[in-house]
Amino acid sequence: MTARRPWWKTALGIVFTALMLFPVYWMVNVSFTKTQDLRLSPPHIFPVDATLDGYTEVLQQQLPNLGTSLLIGLGCVTLTLVIAAPAGYALALLNLRGGRTLNFVLLVAQMIPGVVMAMGFYAIYVRLGLLNSVGGLILADSTIAVPFGVLLFTAFMSGLPRELLQAARMDGAGAWRTFTSVVLPLSRNSALTVALFAFLWAWSDFVFASTLARNSVLKPVTLGIYSYIGNNTTQWNAIMATAVVASIPAAILLIVAQRYVAAGVTAGAVKD
Amino acid sequence: MTISTAPAATPTRAPAPGAPAPQKRRRGGASGSRWVAAAFAAPLLVYLLAFYAYPLIRSIDLSIHDYNVRAFVQGNAEFVGLKNYIDVISSPLFGQAIWNTVVFVVGSLIFQYAIGLALAVFFRNNFRLSGILRALFLVPWLLPLIVSGSTWAWMLNSDNGIVNSVLQTFGIGQINWLTSPDTSMLAVVIANIWLGIPFNLVILYSGLQNISADVYEAASLDGAGPWRQFWSITFPLLRPVSAITLLLGLVYTLKVVDIIWIMTKGGPANSTTTLAIWSYREAFGTGQPDLSPAAAVGNILIVIALIFGFIYLRMQRRQENS
């Protein structure tokens, strides 16, 4: 069966993929369109007479926002890994009392709507003076990734061969030593998966950014795009250019870490 | 992600509770290792208390007081008990928001799932380039929701959108996708379906991988065609995976704010105001945060999400035991 590979299936697959990715293509196309051509009917299907005006505008106005997003993304990755990896170790390999309850709490935590969390954070940040701060956003954004991270680390670490851990103990390694020199190195792939998702979620976050950092000097790029939509509805080429630039991390991560993405989506969702 | 949301609908995924593997007693004395385990879990416990429990308590606190901006800063809001909840439920918008939420969630789920499943079955054929093409299907799911939302908003634009200009070549007149209350829900559902397809595809595809090829071989020896094979083998054997995909999708779609807010802000005339959008708009959509009613709506949403969440957990446990 596998020896025969009919070409028409490949062709059909390409058609499906093209249909699915059309909006992405359209975003790129519009980002190169001249402002006066935006109102053309019918629009140009290809970027004929392309312009880089949209991108010039992005570079002039959005660079600091991109930097802020990068900072928030990296902050979230660090915070998530620091909290999730040891917790996953405790849940998977040490006899943590109440482990099942903790697992349950983590699952429930993922079901809480972001908008409710945003209100809680807003109420707390008003008092603490953390509104409109990068630190405040890192903390809030990390709540999307931390439960996921712990559950993913737990699932992965419980699959580690126990002999290795016993061997480490024979050699006199304590729990901390075992964690840093045996468990962590072996969990590199799951750490990459967690980091990838933590970064992407923080980079893409709009709900927390728009509620906790709306008047911020340092804006993430999602808010940069949003303020374009609000004030500047005619400049769709600039909006789309920003959108293209804001999508670059996702594109890079997809190319570099494709299998981790699929692993992350399916981790545990389908148990057999 | 949400898939997010999605992305939201950031649809994300949670590994199963209580990962298997019975724990072995450690040698160094049970009480000693117990403290060690607690020490490794301590940062998480502190984190959960500070950044989940406390914000949630604050949101309940908001919903049972009457907070205005001044009371917010001074912290002396009047206690009103369940008044905010009663106001919300008796508001004419409540029924509409519930209905919109149902339409948005059910409409999105049915098509995300059907298209995701069809694609998963299609990609099960191992043709040339299938791996790369399947990976490309993940792209929409990884994009920031604001990017997808604004792209769809521009594509569905009444005067200059590509969708209307394509429809025009088929003789269909201008549709005011985002500005007419009759089509705005359809518009946000279409965008959300597009966002959810990758998540459904990936999970259903990996579910298909777990169905043994022998079953299909036996079926084709018995003369079952592809259609028959799908209905008698693939679909029934995939049922547990399907149920979990749909329930997870439901829990995540309930929460969606970004995509609807970016495309329509819940309008026109509240035609796309779901519970999540209603809550967001009350709290942050206007210049003045009106957090108390917003928190009441949000907490009602939590209860609904948790009901389905518990159904999901029960199903997953039953599947584990079987």
Side-chain angles (χ1 to χ4, degrees):
Chain A
M1 287 253 305
T2 44
R4 259 184 65 232
R5 294 183 169 188
W7 63 269
W8 62 268
K9 282 190 176 159
T10 305
L12 202 57
I14 291 173
V15 171
F16 288 154
T17 315
L19 277 175
M20 185 71 180
L21 293 188
F22 180 78
V24 181
Y25 167 72
W26 199 245
M27 165 176 86
V28 177
N29 184 24
V30 173
S31 74
F32 287 116
T33 306
K34 283 195 167 142
T35 308
Q36 64 265 32
D37 289 352
L38 286 170
R39 300 271 159 208
L40 272 188
S41 179
H44 289 308
I45 299 296
F46 301 104
V48 276
D49 203 10
T51 170
L52 289 173
D53 290 355
Y55 288 90
T56 333
E57 205 158 318
V58 175
L59 291 181
Q60 279 165 3
Q61 299 175 8
Q62 300 289 339
L63 269 186
N65 298 348
L66 289 164
T68 308
S69 286
L70 187 67
L71 194 64
I72 293 171
L74 294 177
C76 265
V77 169
T78 313
L79 185 60
T80 305
L81 289 179
V82 164
I83 290 177
Y89 177 52
L91 280 165
L93 299 170
L94 306 172
N95 293 318
L96 182 68
R97 284 187 82 178
R100 275 193 90 88
T101 317
L102 189 54
N103 262 321
F104 177 73
V105 169
L106 291 167
L107 280 166
V108 171
Q110 295 187 314
M111 291 161 191
I112 298 164
V115 58
V116 184
M117 295 295 288
M119 279 183 269
F121 274 112
Y122 185 86
I124 296 165
Y125 283 7
V126 165
R127 291 292 189 76
L128 296 179
L130 277 172
L131 279 183
N132 302 318
S133 70
V134 169
L137 266 190
I138 292 178
L139 283 177
D141 282 346
S142 70
T143 58
I144 312 173
V146 164
F148 167 82
V150 178
L151 293 168
L152 195 126
F153 272 122
T154 309
F156 180 83
M157 287 173 180
S158 7
L160 289 179
R162 314 237 142 203
E163 294 76 20
L164 276 172
L165 305 176
Q166 267 154 6
R169 202 171 327 131
M170 295 290 206
D171 291 345
W176 176 251
R177 191 70 209 279
T178 313
F179 176 61
T180 53
S181 32
V182 181
V183 176
L184 271 188
L186 288 174
S187 312
R188 206 181 57 220
N189 283 357
S190 48
L192 277 172
T193 312
V194 171
L196 181 132
F197 278 89
F199 184 84
L200 275 181
W201 287 331
W203 179 274
S204 322
D205 162 69
F206 170 74
V207 171
F208 285 126
S210 69
T211 53
L212 305 175
R214 54 169 63 198
N215 300 318
S216 182
V217 188
L218 293 173
K219 275 189 187 134
V221 71
T222 47
L223 275 195
I225 300 178
Y226 185 64
S227 54
Y228 264 136
I229 302 177
N231 311 327
N232 209 353
T233 18
T234 52
Q235 294 289 77
W236 278 92
N237 47 2
I239 298 176
M240 289 296 125
T242 321
V244 170
V245 175
S247 311
I248 287 174
I252 294 174
L253 290 174
L254 185 70
I255 295 164
V256 177
Q258 197 214 101
R259 60 205 181 97
Y260 302 121
V261 177
V265 194
T266 42
V270 185
K271 288 202 65 178
D272 54 318
Chain B
M1 229 236 128
T2 275
I3 164 76
S4 132
T5 172
T10 27
T12 64
R13 240 306 25 240
Q23 311 278 338
K24 273 191 191 150
R25 282 267 142 193
R26 316 205 111 226
R27 267 195 321 172
S31 68
S33 74
R34 185 170 298 161
W35 286 110
V36 172
F40 275 96
L44 175 68
L45 295 174
V46 174
Y47 180 90
L48 287 175
L49 286 174
F51 302 116
Y52 270 96
Y54 188 49
L56 282 179
I57 290 167
R58 287 295 277 147
S59 116
I60 294 170
D61 170 68
L62 288 172
S63 72
I64 54 174
H65 288 84
D66 184 17
Y67 272 96
N68 52 34
V69 178
R70 186 155 21 94
F72 215 88
V73 179
Q74 292 169 350
N76 56 354
E78 187 196 346
F79 177 79
V80 295
L82 293 179
K83 182 176 173 298
N84 286 312
Y85 289 91
I86 294 165
D87 287 352
V88 161
I89 291 173
S90 55
S91 145
L93 195 49
F94 186 71
Q96 194 181 359
I98 294 268
W99 174 244
N100 288 342
T101 309
V102 171
V103 173
F104 180 72
V105 169
V106 174
S108 300
L109 287 185
I110 290 176
F111 287 96
Q112 287 174 355
Y113 172 76
I115 299 172
L117 180 58
L119 287 166
V121 171
F122 174 73
F123 277 108
R124 193 171 203 266
N125 298 296
N126 218 350
F127 51 87
R128 196 165 291 138
L129 295 182
S130 62
I132 294 170
L133 295 178
R134 213 176 65 236
L136 285 174
F137 262 84
L138 291 171
V139 169
W141 184 67
L142 297 174
L143 295 182
L145 284 172
I146 184 142
V147 166
S148 334
S150 36
T151 305
W152 276 100
W154 179 243
M155 285 175 43
L156 293 171
N157 184 290
S158 304
D159 306 316
N160 313 99
I162 179 75
V163 174
N164 275 349
S165 70
V166 169
L167 290 179
Q168 236 152 37
T169 62
F170 291 102
I172 299 169
Q174 177 178 317
I175 297 175
N176 296 317
W177 291 101
L178 301 171
T179 47
S180 152
D182 301 327
T183 48
S184 52
M185 181 54 90
L186 183 61
V188 293
V189 168
I190 289 174
N192 197 52
I193 290 169
W194 182 77
L195 286 168
I197 289 172
F199 174 74
N200 282 265
L201 168 62
V202 173
I203 297 196
L204 293 169
Y205 180 80
S206 76
L208 287 182
Q209 299 301 96
N210 292 331
I211 302 178
S212 146
D214 301 350
V215 195
Y216 288 101
E217 232 157 84
S220 62
L221 284 178
D222 290 344
W227 193 245
R228 183 72 206 275
Q229 285 185 19
F230 176 79
W231 285 112
S232 315
I233 302 173
T234 310
F235 197 65
L237 285 181
L238 208 57
R239 198 174 294 151
V241 178
S242 298
I244 280 178
T245 313
L246 285 168
L247 266 174
L248 271 178
L250 188 146
V251 171
Y252 293 116
T253 313
L254 276 176
K255 310 198 277 193
V256 169
V257 170
D258 338 36
I259 197 83
I260 302 181
W261 186 257
I262 293 155
M263 289 178 71
T264 65
K265 289 202 158 61
N270 288 323
S271 56
T272 51
T273 300
T274 59
L275 286 174
I277 287 288
W278 188 14
S279 175
Y280 182 84
R281 184 173 55 208
E282 287 283 327
F284 305 105
T286 56
Q288 296 279 334
D290 203 356
L291 289 155
S292 292
V297 178
N299 293 335
I300 293 172
L301 185 60
I302 291 193
V303 173
I304 299 173
L306 287 184
I307 291 173
F308 288 106
F310 285 123
I311 297 176
Y312 163 71
L313 290 176
R314 275 194 64 143
M315 278 189 46
Q316 206 178 38
R317 196 155 302 158
R318 203 182 311 151
Q319 206 190 327
E320 240 168 78
N321 295 337
S322 67

